[in-house]
Amino acid sequence: MAQLMLEGAIDVLTTNWDSCIERSSGEEELPTVTNESDLADVTPPWVLKVHGCASRPGTLLVTTDHLANPPTWVQEQTHARLGSAVVVFIGIGDIAPYVRQRVVEAIGEIGSVENIRVVSPSISSDWDNSPWKAVAPDLRPEHRIGVSADQFMEELGSAYIFARLAEHSSTCGPDLSVKLDDAKSVLFRADSLAVLQWSRAIDINPRAGESVLRSSEFGKLLIALGHLIGDSGELRNSRVFDTAIGPVEVLVSTQTVPMRRLVEAARERLHGHISKGEPSPLFIVSGGIGAMSEPDELPPSIVEDADDADIVDGPLALVPNVRHADEVIAS
């Protein structure tokens, strides 16, 4: 859920007090909105916590009176979202009274349930006994999604990834499309969460709410990856591909940065691999302005060329093996 929010694909409104969604966003930050001032101070994407957050006790709506008379911004935000988008209720198979009130109010305001979907394992098979029948009696059968929340989110994530990658296929010629399909085949061996986390992690300067998967530089990166490794490879640890030519890691900049920033990011990640005893990957990069300067080659060892007394131990000066996506595609 957090990864789709970072991609700008979904908004989340929750009645939960915990911080599970924000904490699952990895190295990026998902701000929360728990009061009216947050709406003015925080930039989307945000997690709308209509009943407050446990990390900010003063925002919690916990008493019967609090829940019966929520702040105006809670009612406005709930109604606005239920009236302006496809709304999917997840994890609310049994509707708690404090949630029921928000849902009933919003549906009454909108006057329709056409844009509502409900995910609950038994909602299709046991509709007559579902609490949703009383709340939304006109909910169409095809809008009752009888799967678990985990299964639904996996399918939603997969659909989103498939749609974004299809956009790249429509903008490249037949020859490049074959290479793109090879890279897609490799990605589709992983689950949707792994692919979403990987796509956000390879961007050296991601912006929450802006899609990495949709960017043209990401599309170019996939074409280069497919050209280099074909359809054989496996995504490992959300970062590196195990391939027939050895480990391959990719980096992209969806923002305007100098080319040296991509090379520096490759060097930093190379240090991380070496410190863990992992092999050095080949880096493919996409984006960046300016030429990619060739680093000076360092000798593999100076031990045989110097006296022991002259050698001082220190950190390795590592030079990453970096190729640009344009050069790989043209090769």
Side-chain angles (χ1 to χ4, degrees):
M1 190 176 293
Q3 300 302 316
L4 288 172
M5 291 185 69
L6 292 170
E7 278 284 295
I10 63 173
D11 291 327
V12 172
L13 183 152
T14 179
T15 57
N16 291 347
W17 298 314
D18 61 65
S19 58
C20 291
I21 297 175
E22 308 95 281
R23 288 188 288 107
S24 61
S25 61
E27 297 179 1
E28 296 185 72
E29 182 179 353
L30 276 177
T32 60
V33 171
T34 60
N35 55 48
E36 191 166 11
S37 64
D38 287 343
L39 288 171
D41 298 337
V42 178
T43 302
W46 48 38
V47 183
L48 283 162
K49 295 191 167 186
V50 297
H51 290 163
C53 181
S55 64
R56 302 168 68 181
T59 66
L60 295 176
L61 304 185
V62 292
T63 68
T64 301
D65 183 62
H66 285 160
L67 296 171
N69 301 285
T72 302
W73 77 270
V74 169
Q75 299 180 48
E76 291 175 346
Q77 291 298 317
T78 303
H79 297 174
R81 275 153 179 74
L82 264 68
S84 63
V86 173
V87 178
V88 182
F89 289 93
I90 304 175
I92 315 180
D94 293 325
I95 312 174
Y98 64 90
V99 177
R100 179 190 296 266
Q101 181 175 340
R102 297 290 87 76
V103 176
V104 170
E105 288 173 354
I107 292 176
E109 178 104 357
I110 299 164
S112 172
V113 295
E114 278 303 301
N115 65 329
I116 291 178
R117 313 290 187 271
V118 179
V119 177
S120 179
S122 62
I123 193 168
S124 297
S125 60
D126 197 21
W127 173 247
D128 287 339
N129 294 316
S130 171
W132 282 98
K133 184 175 183 180
V135 173
D138 298 327
L139 187 67
R140 291 196 289 173
E142 58 268 32
H143 294 171
R144 308 167 197 167
I145 305 173
V147 299
S148 67
D150 286 344
Q151 181 179 341
F152 175 79
M153 290 307 304
E154 171 63 27
E155 293 175 356
L156 179 63
S158 296
Y160 174 77
I161 294 166
F162 187 86
R164 295 292 76 79
L165 298 187
E167 292 173 353
H168 296 300
S169 296
S170 66
T171 59
C172 61
D175 292 341
L176 296 182
S177 183
V178 171
K179 304 180 191 306
L180 180 60
D181 287 343
D182 284 342
K184 287 160 61 176
S185 296
V186 175
L187 287 181
F188 289 155
R189 294 190 184 107
D191 60 56
S192 64
L193 177 58
V195 174
L196 287 168
Q197 290 174 327
W198 165 79
S199 68
R200 302 298 302 184
I202 66 172
D203 191 343
I204 66 170
N205 189 27
R207 290 184 181 175
E210 296 185 11
S211 175
V212 175
L213 289 172
R214 178 172 271 161
S215 72
S216 59
E217 294 298 340
F218 179 81
K220 186 189 300 181
L221 193 64
L222 285 186
I223 293 171
L225 182 65
H227 179 82
L228 194 65
I229 71 172
D231 63 356
S232 61
E234 182 179 356
L235 181 60
R236 166 172 58 86
N237 297 329
S238 298
R239 291 287 176 92
V240 179
F241 291 93
D242 285 329
T243 77
I245 63 171
V248 175
E249 185 167 356
V250 297
L251 295 171
V252 66
S253 176
T254 55
Q255 310 298 326
T256 302
V257 299
M259 182 62 66
R260 60 179 173 77
R261 286 280 306 280
L262 283 160
V263 177
E264 289 169 359
R267 184 178 294 109
E268 290 173 3
R269 299 203 181 187
L270 177 58
H271 273 277
H273 293 305
I274 298 301
S275 67
K276 297 175 185 176
E278 299 171 349
S280 303
L282 165 65
F283 290 92
I284 307 174
V285 301
S286 182
I289 296 176
M292 187 166 63
S293 59
E294 293 291 335
D296 295 331
E297 290 293 334
L298 297 176
S301 175
I302 63 169
V303 173
E304 296 179 358
D305 299 325
D307 295 330
D308 291 346
D310 295 329
I311 299 176
V312 178
D313 190 19
L316 293 174
L318 299 174
V319 179
N321 182 9
V322 183
R323 296 181 66 183
H324 196 278
D326 289 335
E327 181 260 319
V328 173
I329 293 171
S331 63

